[in-house]
Structures are given as C-alpha cells and as structure tokens.
Amino acid sequence: MPSSASVLTFDTDFDPQTGRPVTIMPGLQRITAPNASAFTFTGTNSFLVGDTALAVIDPGPNHDDHLAALLEVIDERPVEAIILTHTHKDHSALVPRLAAATGAPVWFGGQHRLSRPKGLFEINPIAGSCDWGSVPDRRLVDGDVLHFGAIVLEVITTPGHCANHLAFGVCDTPYLLSGDHVMGWNSTLVAVPDGSMADYFASLDKLLDREWSHYLPAHGGPIADAPAYVRHLRAHRAHRNTQILDALSAGALTVDDLRRHIYPHLPAANLVAAGMTLKAHLEYLEELNQVRSRPALGGRRYSRLT
C-alpha cells in the first residue's frame, strides 16, 4: 500500500515575474527578487502590505535592482515598518538600505539565535547564511496584531526552519504569509543547530489549528488548500523518520549510510542539504528515545532503540 507521504507533490510551475509587482488582493502585492538558486528557487518573494501607508515583508537580498523595484512601487507612500519572517540573509540583507531610504523601523522575532546550544566542536553548517547582527526596533511576539490601513496582520511564531521564524495571517482573508516554514516548491530545510525538527513539527501542527487556507510563501508560488498540503507535508516528514529507523535496523550507522539508503539517486548538488535534513531528523528521533548516537572517528554513529 502506498505511504500517505506519497501524495505530497511539489509545484514548480511558477512565473515569478521578477522585479514586477503582482497584486494578490487590494493592499497586498508581491515582488520577487532576482536571486534564484537551488535554495531560493525563483528568488525571494517580498510582500508589500497596505495602501496609503505600507509595510514591507522580507525585503530580500542586497540587490540594486530589487531595491529599485521596491522603491518604485512604494513611490511616495510612507513605510510604517520593515518586517522579517526570519533572519536568513536572502530575506534580510536589503534591510539596511531600505530602512535608510524609507526611514522605516524594522520589526521581527528577535536577534538571530540557534534553536539549541552548540555541542562541543559542533558547527552551524549554515552560519554564513544567518544575519547575526540585525537587531529589531520592535520584537514581534505570538499574537501581536499589526494594522496597516485596512490590512490587519496577526503574528504567529513558527520556529523550526530557524528559531525566530514568524508567519503572518492576513485577518479576515484566506491568506497567510508562511515565509520559509511552508513552501510549495520543496520541503523546508531544517539544519541543526540553527533549526529544530521538533519545533518544525510543532509549528506545522500549530498552523493546522488556524483558519487560513491559502499560503503565500517567501519562495515559489501560492499554496491553495494549504491545510491539506500541510497534512501531506507532515506525513512526508513522519515517513522520513520511519525510513531512518528502518535503515538503522538494516545496518546503517552513519549519515552517509542513511543518505545512500534513503536517497540512492540524489544529484550531487543536493547531497549536503540531504545530510543536514537527516541530521535534524536523527536529533528529533533521539529526543523521542528512538535513536541513540555516540561520537566516533569521522562523525557520529547511530543505532535504533527498540
């Protein structure tokens, strides 16, 4: 019988119309930055919220053309806040220049931090992608309500991809700005210790309890029937846990063993991301007392607990 995870399909058919404003509804526009890559898909989606006064969510990379595109759409309207879903540089690097151009304060979920302390000799594999120096003018917390003209946003803390990740529900609409937490083109990278798979699962469950049905991610196109997609995404992650446990039972000992067992035909360009994902799952399973790890020459060794 096929696994329930098999119904998860990714949508890569998305025209970003890079650099041009795309109206989603009155008071909500998207402009996609020209920073397409294996990790950002077609680029970072910046969102402009409001009408006569604005908020800019996720200004994106430090790119001259993207700054010019944002400022052209902003025109002479005041920017009341620059808001971040989280502090990875593909979302935040343009903040200093946009803040200087608009005079707007910067709001997000607190300075970048790890999801847990690093272990002895442990490194954060994505440390170079993290914006460690940014400090918010206002730290947003769960349940904050933000008004930008007729548009009202509710702040929803969604850690997992990283510790300070936020989503924003557009009140009285079906739309939720999901950042990198839920994307339709691919599953989200969770790399320990920057992120946490336990937090990621909990944040998926949190969104399933909320009313928004149509997600607007920070990369890729919109997700219709988002609750169904989130359930399939959660099942996909749970299925990966099962695959890891089965592989350990079959004799796998290392992350490389698991990668060969679970991703036998993975392109070389994706091997590093796959390894980071497997480590996050292993840490989660260890927290559940289903896996044990021990240090060994060249990396940790893993075994299944029964």
Side-chain angles (χ1 to χ4, degrees), residues 251-273:
L253 293 173
T254 67
V255 170
D256 283 343
D257 291 342
L258 291 167
R259 189 163 47 195
R260 286 189 291 269
H261 185 96
I262 295 170
Y263 307 104
H265 306 297
L266 193 68
N270 302 117
L271 291 176
V272 172

Side-chain angles (χ1 to χ4, degrees), residues 13-292:
D13 184 19
F14 173 59
D15 177 10
Q17 301 186 50
T18 303
R20 292 189 289 171
V22 176
T23 298
I24 296 157
M25 57 170 266
L28 182 59
Q29 291 180 297
R30 184 195 76 235
I31 303 178
T32 302
N35 63 324
S37 75
F39 286 95
T40 61
F41 190 39
T42 56
T44 302
N45 296 328
S46 301
F47 292 94
L48 279 69
V49 177
D51 188 5
T52 57
L54 300 173
V56 179
I57 298 179
D58 285 346
N62 184 14
H63 195 288
D64 291 347
D65 289 347
H66 192 53
L67 176 61
L70 289 173
L71 292 176
E72 182 177 358
V73 177
I74 291 168
D75 196 16
E76 298 297 323
R77 293 178 291 179
V79 178
E80 296 183 345
I82 298 169
I83 299 174
L84 298 176
T85 58
H86 63 293
T87 45
H88 287 154
K89 291 178 182 177
D90 56 315
H91 297 252
S92 66
L94 192 60
V95 165
R97 294 176 68 190
L98 184 62
T102 61
V106 183
W107 301 350
F108 55 95
Q111 196 164 3
H112 196 88
R113 58 192 183 275
L114 298 178
S115 291
R116 60 157 175 78
K118 287 194 295 185
L120 185 65
F121 305 124
E122 184 181 20
I123 63 169
N124 175 9
I126 62 169
S129 299
C130 302
D131 190 347
W132 300 98
S134 290
V135 178
D137 297 302
R138 173 180 173 180
R139 180 173 179 172
L140 299 176
V141 299
D142 196 59
D144 276 349
V145 176
L146 313 176
H147 295 260
F148 303 102
I151 303 295
V152 181
L153 302 179
E154 180 182 342
V155 178
I156 306 162
T157 51
T158 49
H161 176 59
C162 64
N164 66 355
H165 194 285
L166 304 173
F168 300 94
V170 186
C171 298
D172 300 318
T173 80
Y175 296 111
L176 179 131
L177 306 176
S178 58
D180 282 7
H181 180 58
V182 178
M183 301 180 290
W185 72 280
N186 206 349
S187 57
T188 297
L189 175 68
V190 179
V192 295
D194 196 69
S196 161
M197 191 62 70
D199 288 347
Y200 188 76
F201 272 111
S203 294
L204 289 178
D205 291 341
K206 183 177 185 178
L207 289 188
L208 283 172
D209 286 337
R210 303 309 303 270
E211 62 271 25
W212 290 283
S213 62
H214 198 100
Y215 289 5
L216 303 171
H219 305 281
I223 303 170
D225 194 6
Y229 180 81
V230 170
R231 285 191 290 271
H232 298 324
L233 181 61
R234 196 188 192 291
H236 174 77
R237 291 288 192 179
H239 179 62
R240 186 71 72 232
N241 288 334
T242 300
Q243 287 180 304
I244 289 170
L245 293 173
D246 289 346
L248 293 175
S249 294
L253 293 173
T254 67
V255 170
D256 283 343
D257 291 342
L258 291 167
R259 189 163 47 195
R260 286 189 291 269
H261 185 96
I262 295 170
Y263 307 104
H265 306 297
L266 193 68
N270 302 117
L271 291 176
V272 172
M276 289 189 284
T277 296
L278 289 170
K279 287 179 182 178
H281 278 278
L282 284 162
E283 186 169 293
Y284 173 69
L285 291 167
E286 195 164 5
E287 292 168 4
L288 295 178
N289 293 317
Q290 296 183 33
V291 166
R292 174 184 295 150

